[in-house]
Amino acid sequence: MSLTSPALRLRGRRVVLASASPRRKEILGRAEDPETATVVIGADTVVAVDGRILEKPRDREDALGMLRSLSGKQHSVITGVAIVTWGGLGGPAQEVRAFHEETRVTFSPLSEELIREYADGGEGWDKAGAYAIQGRGAMLVQGVAGDALNAAGFPLNRFCRELARALPVPAGSEEVTSSTTGVDSADRK
């Protein structure tokens, strides 16, 4: 199955993002139509290192400890996602599709001065692992293996593939693929 735009599959449906995360709202975007079937999308992200799960830091000391534990090491960023669909009143039964995506992130060895400076900036205080790869925290990262957007909190590519399995394209919408246009996307410049 070819990857398609989530907007095409979500067109004509009420979309509820069950997350307060501004990063997920930005990555996923929002399309709402209260008149039709509903799709609820929920996600949460954790960081795992040395057999420990790191969520959002409780305070400055917790953030400092998390950053120290990540320094010079590879860790996992794991996001669990649930897509719940139903047709509303008189519609088909509810369906839940759940998955997780793991991205491996490697931090450079960090000086104590850099750890304190970054933590004191506050950017990572509301993020799992106490850093924001999509912001200044990117300077801490030596490498990423896997979905880079997952490391920022939402695995958009995997979400699009799972959404394609969960939702048909609404009637009247045409999926634009090489079979409907005669042009392979690799041929477009």
Side-chain angles (χ1 to χ4, degrees):
M1 174 181 301
S2 297
L3 191 64
T4 60
S5 166
L8 181 64
R9 295 195 180 277
L10 296 173
R11 185 176 297 143
R13 294 181 169 91
R14 179 172 180 247
V15 177
V16 178
L17 181 58
S19 174
S21 166
R23 291 160 305 284
R24 289 191 187 104
K25 289 176 185 171
E26 181 182 334
I27 291 169
L28 184 58
R30 299 197 58 172
E32 297 206 12
D33 179 353
E35 303 287 319
T36 59
T38 300
V39 179
V40 178
I41 303 158
D44 200 14
T45 302
V46 297
V47 169
V49 63
D50 298 332
R52 292 182 22 234
I53 299 294
L54 307 181
E55 297 183 55
K56 296 175 185 176
R58 294 180 303 279
D59 53 31
R60 178 182 183 271
E61 290 306 312
D62 198 25
L64 289 169
M66 287 182 187
L67 293 169
R68 288 180 188 121
S69 72
L70 296 171
S71 177
K73 295 180 185 169
Q74 186 178 76
H75 60 276
S76 292
V77 178
I78 305 162
T79 303
V81 179
I83 303 169
V84 181
T85 59
W86 69 92
L89 296 175
Q94 169 177 312
E95 179 185 340
V96 178
R97 181 172 292 276
F99 65 91
H100 75 278
E101 188 72 20
E102 180 176 359
T103 302
R104 305 290 289 166
V105 177
T106 303
F107 266 29
S108 291
L110 309 176
S111 69
E112 184 63 23
E113 176 185 24
L114 180 57
I115 289 171
R116 288 181 180 280
E117 176 189 316
Y118 182 74
D120 288 344
E123 178 182 69
W125 287 26
D126 67 338
K127 295 162 188 72
Y131 75 96
I133 197 169
Q134 70 277 16
R136 286 186 62 239
M139 72 178 162
L140 312 175
V141 176
Q142 182 175 322
V144 176
D147 185 334
L149 279 178
N150 183 55
F154 195 79
L156 185 59
N157 182 273
R158 175 78 182 272
F159 169 77
C160 290
R161 290 184 282 134
E162 295 293 336
L163 189 65
R165 290 182 184 99
L167 293 175
V169 174
S173 297
E174 187 174 328
E175 199 169 341
V176 179
T177 65
S178 60
S179 62
T180 59
T181 65
V183 178
D184 188 349
S185 61
D187 294 336
R188 295 183 199 152
K189 298 286 183 222

